[in-house]
Amino acid sequence: MATWTGVSHLSVTLTSGDQNCAIYANGLNRIGVTISITPTDECGDLIEVDPQHLVSNLWLIDYIDESKLHWNGKSGWSYTDTENEFTAIPGGAGERAEVATGGNGAQHVTFYVYCSPGVTKKSISVLVRTDSEDGDTFSTSKDGAYPSQVVINPRAAATYTKDNISWDYSRTSTDEENNTRYVTTRAWNYYLSLKEPDNYFVTFRVHGHFSDSGYDGLFSAHIPADNDRGNFYGGYVWYSEPHNYSTGQIVNFPEGNHWWDTAAIYDRSYPEQYLCFTWVHSTTSGDGWHIPNGPITNWHVYYTPRIVAWDRYGNTGTFWVDGDEITKGLNLTDYQP
């Protein structure tokens, strides 16, 4: 049986086909780096190496001093074998190490490079160890047999504030909005999105809301004393991902009023790129709104949701939505720890 003892070709490039690019030094942004290798046996004939075995015998190294990058590292320059949701080249297109077989016996392996804040530009090469008796190695470093490198230039991680985001609203429909015999419901959707050129948010995490059945996403409810408790003001955040056009339950008062409604949510294009909130003003006649209902046990209950949003490169912004003052709409501000 033939033994893998050498290579007839070894090179490294970015998955984009380029040899250099930028990266955000935030520990999340990943850049795909593809290794092309043509293994040979002791007779110099082409040989195919088991993909898993091939991956375990490849390392990304520094082009100049041949030091290894950290495998699944927590600091400095690191790499792994899986892409994440922030795998994209800044200013370029948006990738588990994969091995593919190309022409002339070449096999291709993709790793994903990332880095922490404070690093400097890195020239990256590859080192491979064969199954020869002496464990012969080949590299694409400066002094290696097949000099080849990719150059990755770190950018400082971006932190988004209210100046960088869009926070606008428009009227949305509800199932019961035309049923005005007992209740009138009006609802507006608010949209949190990034307004940076050629960039957008890709995921959100929300902390601070009710999660009870029928009230999931409710973070503020206020029933003032005026008009015989006939006004309900509510704030909802539709945090579940993936975001898709659907409906959310609002104004849920099954006890006493025997009423609930649903509002259309994620009703704009590219819903995966924004976080949708709904602000509700609903009125009822008679003896007003009845409590308790679910988590609504007082005339004024609220959270102040904290929202963390990540862009396609892993940069973040953190915001608050005021749950206390709900009667005039939804107010978003920068998060202050």
Side-chain angles (χ1 to χ4, degrees), residues 135-185:
D136 293 329
T137 61
F138 302 86
S139 81
T140 67
S141 69
K142 179 182 178 182
D143 298 321
Y146 303 92
S148 174
Q149 63 177 312
V150 295
V151 180
I152 304 182
N153 194 24
R155 296 180 180 179
T159 300
Y160 298 115
T161 67
K162 192 174 178 181
D163 291 338
N164 306 114
I165 59 99
S166 175
W167 177 248
D168 59 348
Y169 60 90
S170 61
R171 185 74 179 270
T172 189
S173 61
T174 75
D175 286 344
E176 301 292 343
E177 64 182 15
N178 295 318
N179 184 353
T180 58
R181 182 178 179 185
Y182 301 109
V183 178
T184 298
T185 299

Side-chain angles (χ1 to χ4, degrees), residues 124-141:
I124 298 172
S125 294
V126 62
L127 172 71
V128 58
R129 180 182 59 203
T130 70
D131 293 336
S132 67
E133 185 175 331
D134 295 327
D136 293 329
T137 61
F138 302 86
S139 81
T140 67
S141 69

Side-chain angles (χ1 to χ4, degrees), residues 64-78:
I64 302 299
D65 64 18
E66 296 189 344
S67 59
K68 292 179 180 178
L69 278 64
H70 303 299
W71 174 252
N72 288 326
K74 301 298 184 183
S75 63
W77 284 96
S78 305

Side-chain angles (χ1 to χ4, degrees), residues 237-296:
V237 56
W238 310 111
Y239 61 92
S240 296
E241 294 185 3
H243 300 164
N244 290 300
Y245 177 81
S246 59
T247 58
Q249 191 165 46
I250 59 174
V251 198
N252 189 11
F253 284 86
E255 301 298 326
N257 298 95
H258 304 292
W259 182 267
W260 57 90
D261 203 348
T262 55
I265 60 174
Y266 288 106
D267 52 349
R268 289 188 174 181
S269 300
Y270 308 107
E272 68 281 359
Q273 297 179 15
Y274 65 87
L275 184 64
C276 182
F277 298 74
T278 301
W279 180 72
V280 176
H281 178 203
S282 191
T283 60
T284 186
S285 56
D287 55 356
W289 294 104
H290 291 241
I291 58 172
N293 276 274
I296 304 176

Side-chain angles (χ1 to χ4, degrees), residues 306-325:
R306 176 169 61 91
I307 299 98
V308 183
W310 286 264
D311 74 359
R312 59 198 295 243
Y313 309 115
N315 297 310
T316 64
T318 306
F319 310 95
W320 263 338
V321 175
D322 186 4
D324 185 9
E325 182 48 67

Side-chain angles (χ1 to χ4, degrees), residues 5 12 38 92 151 156 174 185 193 204 223 253 264 269 271 285 304 335:
T5 61
V12 60
T38 305
V151 180
T174 75
T185 299
S193 60
F204 303 84
I223 304 170
F253 284 86
S269 300
S285 56
T304 296
Y335 174 70

